[in-house]
Amino acid sequence: MTPRAAGGQAAPTRRRAGRGARPGPGGTASDEDLLAGFLNGLDADALRGLLREFATDAGIRRALLVRAAASVGTDADLAATLTASVKATLTLPRRLDRRQSTAYAAAAAALLDELEGHLAAGRADATREPLQEAAVRLRKVVMNVYDDAGLMGACCQRAADLHVRACREGAPNVLRLAKWLTSFRTSSPGWPRTDLASYADLFDERAMAAYRAGIDAYAVRLSGAREWDRRMLHQLQVELADHDGDVDGAIAILRSREHPAYDEILERLDAAGRTDDALALVDEAVRAERYSARAQLRGHWLSPDAVSDHYLAAGRVDDALAFARTLLVKDPSTTSLAHLLRVGSETGTAAAQKNWATSWARDRASRSSGDVLIDWALAAGDLEEARAVALEFGAGAQWSQLSTALEATHPKDAADLHRPRLADDLRYPDTRTYPEIAERLATMLQLYARAGLADEFIAEIRGIRAQYANRPSLQLAMDAAALPR
């Protein structure tokens, strides 16, 4: 039934709000026009009454209170209303699925937008405690709900970063801030990322003493705990040593772990200009084989560049070259090859190092496959060299990458590279592999067709069907891939 307006007339057809001010169907007014006409016709008393009526809704009431506190209230008033808004928005659910998690993160982001707006307007002292509350609550949420996209984790880090800004732009009670920071960090799972340096220059002597006392108490609580459980304590203690300029104290803590944090120790020795100690540490790490080109291992491992650069700076050219060659043998990646060639270039032996690397890789290929040489050739953009190596030694683990690279120019060779894997997959019956086998056969057929060898391979496909006629699931997978019978 069509709704009726006052006077018995049919009410105008309503559109969804938020779509602009276009006319409604049949020339009727838009929602925006109707709303504007209504509000513009209200006097001040009627408008106040309307707002009080709507303020019975908790969400609208909070929004109105925030605006009121921002307009006529003190920083304490605004802080209280914003903190209440944080607590109401960032409840602590036991469980959120993917959809609910995304919606929760969107609400958290909108709340942080509002807090950042007040901060940008110069209300740092009013936003500090709400941001503090937001960081604490979001950390609890992230620890207990589904956040595979990292949306709430990002909100949590943003809240922590905004809290630092609010502290630095306002006038916090530094003793209270120091005690809160100690509590927040000693209960941290490692995130959000916070550090003493962001707050330390705000602290007076009493605040810093309180912070130290909190870390000392944390150390007592963790006495006898496992290495993993003490990782945050070590970070906090190292930060304090760095703050004090105590290089040896920081190094002692970094050495107290199960594995010395070579990268972090070397950084501090270099910064302190302790060249001999730094070189001795590099030697120690090389002997312990605690070096890697993988960035994710930094901390307990040295980068190859750090090792070679220290050797070269000390005039130990032979040690730098020997290390670079050892690294290549241990990890014959393109990164290790590039490192060797860089050291060779800086010592005037680049050609000799390249010849040595090629000779070593060819000797390795003669005993296994040409995968390392192929990897190097593809990285250098030399497809013909990669193809020649595969024909001479086999492609090994690089077969798929090389096949893809050869499809445009050498379709037969690209197809042939699939054959060893195809034979392995067909050796034993396994229904889980049949779709992949069928897909590989279809790819090979396309490549052989481009090479003018479609008829020959179709015959092979029919031979496979005949040979494995007792594998009905394989036959069905081949049918699904539209392979000939």
Side-chain angles (χ1 to χ4, degrees), residues 229-269:
D229 294 328
R230 293 171 62 83
R231 68 194 188 284
M232 178 54 67
L233 172 62
H234 289 158
Q235 178 182 335
L236 299 175
Q237 291 174 327
V238 168
E239 286 181 9
L240 274 172
D242 287 340
H243 173 75
D244 297 337
D246 184 0
V247 176
D248 288 325
I251 290 174
I253 298 165
L254 293 168
R255 278 194 173 278
S256 70
R257 302 173 181 175
E258 182 179 358
H259 298 291
Y262 286 110
D263 190 48
E264 297 181 49
I265 295 173
L266 184 62
E267 179 183 350
R268 286 163 175 80
L269 291 173

mmCIF file of all heavy atoms in Angstrom, residues 229-269:
data_model
loop_
_atom_site.group_PDB
_atom_site.id
_atom_site.type_symbol
_atom_site.label_atom_id
_atom_site.label_comp_id
_atom_site.label_asym_id
_atom_site.label_seq_id
_atom_site.Cartn_x
_atom_site.Cartn_y
_atom_site.Cartn_z
ATOM 1 N N ASP A 229 60.590 -16.051 26.094
ATOM 2 C CA ASP A 229 59.775 -15.197 26.951
ATOM 3 C C ASP A 229 60.531 -13.944 27.412
ATOM 4 O O ASP A 229 59.910 -12.992 27.884
ATOM 5 C CB ASP A 229 59.310 -15.988 28.179
ATOM 6 C CG ASP A 229 58.364 -17.114 27.808
ATOM 7 O OD1 ASP A 229 57.612 -16.955 26.827
ATOM 8 O OD2 ASP A 229 58.394 -18.169 28.474
ATOM 9 N N ARG A 230 61.858 -13.962 27.270
ATOM 10 C CA ARG A 230 62.657 -12.832 27.728
ATOM 11 C C ARG A 230 63.024 -11.877 26.586
ATOM 12 O O ARG A 230 63.746 -10.905 26.798
ATOM 13 C CB ARG A 230 63.953 -13.349 28.376
ATOM 14 C CG ARG A 230 63.716 -14.106 29.678
ATOM 15 C CD ARG A 230 65.000 -14.783 30.164
ATOM 16 N NE ARG A 230 66.060 -13.830 30.448
ATOM 17 C CZ ARG A 230 66.187 -13.161 31.588
ATOM 18 N NH1 ARG A 230 65.300 -13.338 32.568
ATOM 19 N NH2 ARG A 230 67.184 -12.331 31.777
ATOM 20 N N ARG A 231 62.508 -12.136 25.377
ATOM 21 C CA ARG A 231 62.927 -11.337 24.221
ATOM 22 C C ARG A 231 62.540 -9.864 24.387
ATOM 23 O O ARG A 231 63.308 -8.972 24.013
ATOM 24 C CB ARG A 231 62.356 -11.923 22.926
ATOM 25 C CG ARG A 231 60.852 -11.815 22.801
ATOM 26 C CD ARG A 231 60.312 -12.702 21.683
ATOM 27 N NE ARG A 231 58.912 -12.475 21.441
ATOM 28 C CZ ARG A 231 57.917 -12.909 22.201
ATOM 29 N NH1 ARG A 231 58.187 -13.587 23.305
ATOM 30 N NH2 ARG A 231 56.664 -12.658 21.889
ATOM 31 N N MET A 232 61.344 -9.578 24.913
ATOM 32 C CA MET A 232 60.939 -8.191 25.103
ATOM 33 C C MET A 232 61.774 -7.530 26.199
ATOM 34 O O MET A 232 62.164 -6.357 26.078
ATOM 35 C CB MET A 232 59.451 -8.103 25.440
ATOM 36 C CG MET A 232 58.952 -6.674 25.696
ATOM 37 S SD MET A 232 59.307 -5.501 24.349
ATOM 38 C CE MET A 232 58.257 -6.158 23.059
ATOM 39 N N LEU A 233 62.083 -8.259 27.257
ATOM 40 C CA LEU A 233 62.937 -7.717 28.323
ATOM 41 C C LEU A 233 64.283 -7.298 27.747
ATOM 42 O O LEU A 233 64.796 -6.216 28.051
ATOM 43 C CB LEU A 233 63.126 -8.750 29.429
ATOM 44 C CG LEU A 233 64.149 -8.379 30.507
ATOM 45 C CD1 LEU A 233 63.723 -7.125 31.252
ATOM 46 C CD2 LEU A 233 64.349 -9.547 31.473
ATOM 47 N N HIS A 234 64.873 -8.165 26.917
ATOM 48 C CA HIS A 234 66.167 -7.826 26.311
ATOM 49 C C HIS A 234 66.069 -6.541 25.493
ATOM 50 O O HIS A 234 66.961 -5.680 25.549
ATOM 51 C CB HIS A 234 66.637 -8.982 25.416
ATOM 52 C CG HIS A 234 67.060 -10.183 26.177
ATOM 53 N ND1 HIS A 234 67.088 -11.441 25.627
ATOM 54 C CD2 HIS A 234 67.472 -10.337 27.462
ATOM 55 C CE1 HIS A 234 67.503 -12.317 26.521
ATOM 56 N NE2 HIS A 234 67.740 -11.672 27.644
ATOM 57 N N GLN A 235 64.996 -6.395 24.736
ATOM 58 C CA GLN A 235 64.821 -5.190 23.914
ATOM 59 C C GLN A 235 64.741 -3.953 24.800
ATOM 60 O O GLN A 235 65.370 -2.922 24.518
ATOM 61 C CB GLN A 235 63.562 -5.308 23.065
ATOM 62 C CG GLN A 235 63.278 -4.071 22.209
ATOM 63 C CD GLN A 235 61.994 -4.197 21.412
ATOM 64 O OE1 GLN A 235 61.533 -5.297 21.108
ATOM 65 N NE2 GLN A 235 61.400 -3.060 21.077
ATOM 66 N N LEU A 236 63.979 -4.044 25.881
ATOM 67 C CA LEU A 236 63.822 -2.902 26.777
ATOM 68 C C LEU A 236 65.142 -2.542 27.451
ATOM 69 O O LEU A 236 65.467 -1.361 27.625
ATOM 70 C CB LEU A 236 62.762 -3.214 27.833
ATOM 71 C CG LEU A 236 61.346 -3.497 27.299
ATOM 72 C CD1 LEU A 236 60.430 -3.915 28.441
ATOM 73 C CD2 LEU A 236 60.783 -2.287 26.589
ATOM 74 N N GLN A 237 65.902 -3.567 27.836
ATOM 75 C CA GLN A 237 67.179 -3.314 28.499
ATOM 76 C C GLN A 237 68.200 -2.710 27.536
ATOM 77 O O GLN A 237 68.972 -1.824 27.916
ATOM 78 C CB GLN A 237 67.714 -4.611 29.107
ATOM 79 C CG GLN A 237 66.905 -5.109 30.300
ATOM 80 C CD GLN A 237 67.365 -6.468 30.793
ATOM 81 O OE1 GLN A 237 67.818 -7.310 30.002
ATOM 82 N NE2 GLN A 237 67.265 -6.692 32.096
ATOM 83 N N VAL A 238 68.202 -3.192 26.290
ATOM 84 C CA VAL A 238 69.121 -2.635 25.294
ATOM 85 C C VAL A 238 68.781 -1.170 25.021
ATOM 86 O O VAL A 238 69.672 -0.318 24.899
ATOM 87 C CB VAL A 238 69.082 -3.460 23.998
ATOM 88 C CG1 VAL A 238 69.788 -2.728 22.860
ATOM 89 C CG2 VAL A 238 69.730 -4.821 24.210
ATOM 90 N N GLU A 239 67.501 -0.861 24.947
ATOM 91 C CA GLU A 239 67.093 0.526 24.724
ATOM 92 C C GLU A 239 67.578 1.434 25.853
ATOM 93 O O GLU A 239 68.027 2.563 25.603
ATOM 94 C CB GLU A 239 65.570 0.617 24.602
ATOM 95 C CG GLU A 239 65.019 0.095 23.292
ATOM 96 C CD GLU A 239 63.517 0.247 23.224
ATOM 97 O OE1 GLU A 239 62.947 0.900 24.108
ATOM 98 O OE2 GLU A 239 62.916 -0.290 22.272
ATOM 99 N N LEU A 240 67.481 0.958 27.084
ATOM 100 C CA LEU A 240 67.957 1.760 28.206
ATOM 101 C C LEU A 240 69.462 1.972 28.126
ATOM 102 O O LEU A 240 69.966 3.070 28.386
ATOM 103 C CB LEU A 240 67.583 1.085 29.526
ATOM 104 C CG LEU A 240 66.185 1.392 30.075
ATOM 105 C CD1 LEU A 240 65.877 0.507 31.271
ATOM 106 C CD2 LEU A 240 66.064 2.865 30.448
ATOM 107 N N ALA A 241 70.203 0.920 27.762
ATOM 108 C CA ALA A 241 71.657 1.059 27.626
ATOM 109 C C ALA A 241 72.001 2.045 26.515
ATOM 110 O O ALA A 241 72.899 2.882 26.664
ATOM 111 C CB ALA A 241 72.287 -0.307 27.352
ATOM 112 N N ASP A 242 71.273 1.971 25.399
ATOM 113 C CA ASP A 242 71.503 2.922 24.307
ATOM 114 C C ASP A 242 71.198 4.347 24.760
ATOM 115 O O ASP A 242 71.912 5.295 24.414
ATOM 116 C CB ASP A 242 70.635 2.555 23.097
ATOM 117 C CG ASP A 242 71.128 1.314 22.360
ATOM 118 O OD1 ASP A 242 72.315 0.952 22.525
ATOM 119 O OD2 ASP A 242 70.327 0.712 21.621
ATOM 120 N N HIS A 243 70.126 4.500 25.510
ATOM 121 C CA HIS A 243 69.756 5.826 26.014
ATOM 122 C C HIS A 243 70.869 6.399 26.898
ATOM 123 O O HIS A 243 71.155 7.598 26.861
ATOM 124 C CB HIS A 243 68.456 5.730 26.810
ATOM 125 C CG HIS A 243 68.087 6.996 27.514
ATOM 126 N ND1 HIS A 243 67.566 8.095 26.875
ATOM 127 C CD2 HIS A 243 68.178 7.343 28.834
ATOM 128 C CE1 HIS A 243 67.349 9.060 27.735
ATOM 129 N NE2 HIS A 243 67.704 8.643 28.940
ATOM 130 N N ASP A 244 71.521 5.517 27.667
ATOM 131 C CA ASP A 244 72.592 5.947 28.563
ATOM 132 C C ASP A 244 73.933 6.091 27.845
ATOM 133 O O ASP A 244 74.917 6.528 28.465
ATOM 134 C CB ASP A 244 72.743 4.945 29.709
ATOM 135 C CG ASP A 244 71.498 4.870 30.586
ATOM 136 O OD1 ASP A 244 70.734 5.852 30.595
ATOM 137 O OD2 ASP A 244 71.301 3.834 31.242
ATOM 138 N N GLY A 245 73.989 5.694 26.569
ATOM 139 C CA GLY A 245 75.261 5.713 25.854
ATOM 140 C C GLY A 245 76.209 4.622 26.316
ATOM 141 O O GLY A 245 77.430 4.719 26.134
ATOM 142 N N ASP A 246 75.676 3.564 26.903
ATOM 143 C CA ASP A 246 76.476 2.465 27.450
ATOM 144 C C ASP A 246 76.618 1.376 26.376
ATOM 145 O O ASP A 246 75.841 0.415 26.339
ATOM 146 C CB ASP A 246 75.804 1.917 28.705
ATOM 147 C CG ASP A 246 76.619 0.832 29.401
ATOM 148 O OD1 ASP A 246 77.718 0.510 28.899
ATOM 149 O OD2 ASP A 246 76.145 0.312 30.424
ATOM 150 N N VAL A 247 77.632 1.529 25.513
ATOM 151 C CA VAL A 247 77.811 0.580 24.411
ATOM 152 C C VAL A 247 78.106 -0.811 24.934
ATOM 153 O O VAL A 247 77.519 -1.805 24.483
ATOM 154 C CB VAL A 247 78.943 1.058 23.475
ATOM 155 C CG1 VAL A 247 79.206 0.023 22.376
ATOM 156 C CG2 VAL A 247 78.596 2.401 22.863
ATOM 157 N N ASP A 248 79.013 -0.918 25.899
ATOM 158 C CA ASP A 248 79.375 -2.243 26.428
ATOM 159 C C ASP A 248 78.192 -2.890 27.135
ATOM 160 O O ASP A 248 78.016 -4.118 27.070
ATOM 161 C CB ASP A 248 80.557 -2.124 27.389
ATOM 162 C CG ASP A 248 81.858 -1.828 26.648
ATOM 163 O OD1 ASP A 248 82.026 -2.342 25.530
ATOM 164 O OD2 ASP A 248 82.688 -1.074 27.192
ATOM 165 N N GLY A 249 77.389 -2.069 27.826
ATOM 166 C CA GLY A 249 76.201 -2.636 28.476
ATOM 167 C C GLY A 249 75.219 -3.193 27.467
ATOM 168 O O GLY A 249 74.660 -4.281 27.661
ATOM 169 N N ALA A 250 74.998 -2.454 26.364
ATOM 170 C CA ALA A 250 74.099 -2.952 25.316
ATOM 171 C C ALA A 250 74.641 -4.226 24.687
ATOM 172 O O ALA A 250 73.901 -5.190 24.452
ATOM 173 C CB ALA A 250 73.900 -1.871 24.255
ATOM 174 N N ILE A 251 75.947 -4.253 24.439
ATOM 175 C CA ILE A 251 76.556 -5.444 23.822
ATOM 176 C C ILE A 251 76.447 -6.644 24.757
ATOM 177 O O ILE A 251 76.181 -7.771 24.313
ATOM 178 C CB ILE A 251 78.017 -5.157 23.455
ATOM 179 C CG1 ILE A 251 78.072 -4.169 22.284
ATOM 180 C CG2 ILE A 251 78.759 -6.442 23.106
ATOM 181 C CD1 ILE A 251 79.471 -3.710 21.927
ATOM 182 N N ALA A 252 76.634 -6.423 26.044
ATOM 183 C CA ALA A 252 76.528 -7.533 26.999
ATOM 184 C C ALA A 252 75.136 -8.159 26.955
ATOM 185 O O ALA A 252 74.985 -9.386 27.013
ATOM 186 C CB ALA A 252 76.840 -7.040 28.403
ATOM 187 N N ILE A 253 74.125 -7.320 26.852
ATOM 188 C CA ILE A 253 72.752 -7.845 26.769
ATOM 189 C C ILE A 253 72.551 -8.580 25.441
ATOM 190 O O ILE A 253 71.964 -9.664 25.401
ATOM 191 C CB ILE A 253 71.743 -6.702 26.912
ATOM 192 C CG1 ILE A 253 71.883 -6.039 28.280
ATOM 193 C CG2 ILE A 253 70.313 -7.220 26.727
ATOM 194 C CD1 ILE A 253 71.186 -4.696 28.385
ATOM 195 N N LEU A 254 73.050 -8.001 24.360
ATOM 196 C CA LEU A 254 72.887 -8.630 23.046
ATOM 197 C C LEU A 254 73.658 -9.944 22.949
ATOM 198 O O LEU A 254 73.306 -10.819 22.160
ATOM 199 C CB LEU A 254 73.346 -7.668 21.954
ATOM 200 C CG LEU A 254 72.477 -6.420 21.778
ATOM 201 C CD1 LEU A 254 73.159 -5.397 20.885
ATOM 202 C CD2 LEU A 254 71.110 -6.799 21.215
ATOM 203 N N ARG A 255 74.693 -10.087 23.753
ATOM 204 C CA ARG A 255 75.440 -11.353 23.787
ATOM 205 C C ARG A 255 74.830 -12.363 24.752
ATOM 206 O O ARG A 255 75.177 -13.540 24.725
ATOM 207 C CB ARG A 255 76.888 -11.094 24.195
ATOM 208 C CG ARG A 255 77.779 -10.629 23.047
ATOM 209 C CD ARG A 255 79.247 -10.728 23.447
ATOM 210 N NE ARG A 255 80.135 -10.453 22.332
ATOM 211 C CZ ARG A 255 80.476 -11.331 21.392
ATOM 212 N NH1 ARG A 255 79.971 -12.560 21.434
ATOM 213 N NH2 ARG A 255 81.305 -11.008 20.433
ATOM 214 N N SER A 256 73.950 -11.913 25.614
ATOM 215 C CA SER A 256 73.392 -12.819 26.621
ATOM 216 C C SER A 256 72.326 -13.741 26.049
ATOM 217 O O SER A 256 71.888 -14.679 26.712
ATOM 218 C CB SER A 256 72.799 -12.003 27.777
ATOM 219 O OG SER A 256 71.613 -11.325 27.355
ATOM 220 N N ARG A 257 71.910 -13.467 24.814
ATOM 221 C CA ARG A 257 70.889 -14.307 24.210
ATOM 222 C C ARG A 257 71.478 -15.646 23.785
ATOM 223 O O ARG A 257 72.698 -15.837 23.793
ATOM 224 C CB ARG A 257 70.298 -13.594 22.999
ATOM 225 C CG ARG A 257 69.681 -12.237 23.334
ATOM 226 C CD ARG A 257 69.266 -11.479 22.087
ATOM 227 N NE ARG A 257 68.702 -10.168 22.417
ATOM 228 C CZ ARG A 257 68.344 -9.263 21.512
ATOM 229 N NH1 ARG A 257 68.495 -9.526 20.220
ATOM 230 N NH2 ARG A 257 67.848 -8.107 21.896
ATOM 231 N N GLU A 258 70.595 -16.557 23.380
ATOM 232 C CA GLU A 258 71.060 -17.879 22.955
ATOM 233 C C GLU A 258 72.061 -17.762 21.804
ATOM 234 O O GLU A 258 73.059 -18.484 21.753
ATOM 235 C CB GLU A 258 69.861 -18.730 22.525
ATOM 236 C CG GLU A 258 70.225 -20.138 22.120
ATOM 237 C CD GLU A 258 69.014 -20.954 21.725
ATOM 238 O OE1 GLU A 258 67.886 -20.416 21.800
ATOM 239 O OE2 GLU A 258 69.184 -22.127 21.344
ATOM 240 N N HIS A 259 71.769 -16.851 20.881
ATOM 241 C CA HIS A 259 72.705 -16.554 19.794
ATOM 242 C C HIS A 259 73.024 -15.063 19.856
ATOM 243 O O HIS A 259 72.108 -14.235 19.911
ATOM 244 C CB HIS A 259 72.093 -16.897 18.430
ATOM 245 C CG HIS A 259 71.761 -18.339 18.265
ATOM 246 N ND1 HIS A 259 72.718 -19.324 18.173
ATOM 247 C CD2 HIS A 259 70.554 -18.975 18.182
ATOM 248 C CE1 HIS A 259 72.129 -20.499 18.030
ATOM 249 N NE2 HIS A 259 70.825 -20.311 18.037
ATOM 250 N N PRO A 260 74.287 -14.699 19.846
ATOM 251 C CA PRO A 260 74.625 -13.266 19.875
ATOM 252 C C PRO A 260 73.984 -12.526 18.707
ATOM 253 O O PRO A 260 73.907 -13.042 17.596
ATOM 254 C CB PRO A 260 76.153 -13.264 19.753
ATOM 255 C CG PRO A 260 76.577 -14.611 20.239
ATOM 256 C CD PRO A 260 75.479 -15.554 19.841
ATOM 257 N N ALA A 261 73.527 -11.314 18.976
ATOM 258 C CA ALA A 261 72.886 -10.504 17.930
ATOM 259 C C ALA A 261 73.980 -9.765 17.168
ATOM 260 O O ALA A 261 74.215 -8.563 17.373
ATOM 261 C CB ALA A 261 71.880 -9.543 18.547
ATOM 262 N N TYR A 262 74.653 -10.485 16.261
ATOM 263 C CA TYR A 262 75.849 -9.950 15.609
ATOM 264 C C TYR A 262 75.584 -8.632 14.874
ATOM 265 O O TYR A 262 76.381 -7.700 14.945
ATOM 266 C CB TYR A 262 76.420 -10.980 14.636
ATOM 267 C CG TYR A 262 77.117 -12.133 15.312
ATOM 268 C CD1 TYR A 262 76.563 -13.410 15.303
ATOM 269 C CD2 TYR A 262 78.324 -11.939 15.969
ATOM 270 C CE1 TYR A 262 77.203 -14.471 15.929
ATOM 271 C CE2 TYR A 262 78.966 -12.991 16.602
ATOM 272 C CZ TYR A 262 78.406 -14.257 16.580
ATOM 273 O OH TYR A 262 79.034 -15.298 17.214
ATOM 274 N N ASP A 263 74.489 -8.570 14.146
ATOM 275 C CA ASP A 263 74.214 -7.377 13.351
ATOM 276 C C ASP A 263 74.032 -6.147 14.250
ATOM 277 O O ASP A 263 74.577 -5.074 13.962
ATOM 278 C CB ASP A 263 72.962 -7.611 12.500
ATOM 279 C CG ASP A 263 72.760 -6.511 11.466
ATOM 280 O OD1 ASP A 263 73.723 -6.173 10.773
ATOM 281 O OD2 ASP A 263 71.637 -6.000 11.364
ATOM 282 N N GLU A 264 73.294 -6.314 15.330
ATOM 283 C CA GLU A 264 73.053 -5.193 16.231
ATOM 284 C C GLU A 264 74.316 -4.800 16.996
ATOM 285 O O GLU A 264 74.550 -3.613 17.263
ATOM 286 C CB GLU A 264 71.934 -5.541 17.210
ATOM 287 C CG GLU A 264 70.588 -5.792 16.535
ATOM 288 C CD GLU A 264 69.495 -6.120 17.525
ATOM 289 O OE1 GLU A 264 69.364 -5.378 18.515
ATOM 290 O OE2 GLU A 264 68.785 -7.117 17.313
ATOM 291 N N ILE A 265 75.122 -5.791 17.349
ATOM 292 C CA ILE A 265 76.383 -5.488 18.033
ATOM 293 C C ILE A 265 77.321 -4.720 17.108
ATOM 294 O O ILE A 265 77.930 -3.717 17.499
ATOM 295 C CB ILE A 265 77.048 -6.789 18.527
ATOM 296 C CG1 ILE A 265 76.185 -7.461 19.606
ATOM 297 C CG2 ILE A 265 78.447 -6.489 19.078
ATOM 298 C CD1 ILE A 265 76.674 -8.839 20.022
ATOM 299 N N LEU A 266 77.438 -5.192 15.856
ATOM 300 C CA LEU A 266 78.327 -4.539 14.901
ATOM 301 C C LEU A 266 77.892 -3.093 14.651
ATOM 302 O O LEU A 266 78.736 -2.187 14.540
ATOM 303 C CB LEU A 266 78.343 -5.325 13.588
ATOM 304 C CG LEU A 266 79.303 -4.808 12.507
ATOM 305 C CD1 LEU A 266 80.745 -4.878 13.008
ATOM 306 C CD2 LEU A 266 79.140 -5.611 11.218
ATOM 307 N N GLU A 267 76.592 -2.873 14.571
ATOM 308 C CA GLU A 267 76.076 -1.517 14.365
ATOM 309 C C GLU A 267 76.547 -0.586 15.472
ATOM 310 O O GLU A 267 76.961 0.562 15.209
ATOM 311 C CB GLU A 267 74.552 -1.564 14.310
ATOM 312 C CG GLU A 267 73.883 -0.224 14.126
ATOM 313 C CD GLU A 267 72.364 -0.324 14.164
ATOM 314 O OE1 GLU A 267 71.836 -1.450 14.146
ATOM 315 O OE2 GLU A 267 71.712 0.738 14.229
ATOM 316 N N ARG A 268 76.527 -1.047 16.703
ATOM 317 C CA ARG A 268 76.927 -0.203 17.826
ATOM 318 C C ARG A 268 78.446 0.007 17.867
ATOM 319 O O ARG A 268 78.918 1.101 18.203
ATOM 320 C CB ARG A 268 76.420 -0.823 19.129
ATOM 321 C CG ARG A 268 74.917 -0.640 19.303
ATOM 322 C CD ARG A 268 74.315 -1.559 20.344
ATOM 323 N NE ARG A 268 72.908 -1.238 20.533
ATOM 324 C CZ ARG A 268 71.931 -1.640 19.704
ATOM 325 N NH1 ARG A 268 72.227 -2.384 18.640
ATOM 326 N NH2 ARG A 268 70.673 -1.314 19.948
ATOM 327 N N LEU A 269 79.204 -1.032 17.525
ATOM 328 C CA LEU A 269 80.663 -0.877 17.500
ATOM 329 C C LEU A 269 81.092 0.100 16.407
ATOM 330 O O LEU A 269 81.985 0.923 16.609
ATOM 331 C CB LEU A 269 81.322 -2.243 17.291
ATOM 332 C CG LEU A 269 81.215 -3.226 18.463
ATOM 333 C CD1 LEU A 269 81.758 -4.591 18.056
ATOM 334 C CD2 LEU A 269 81.962 -2.698 19.681
#
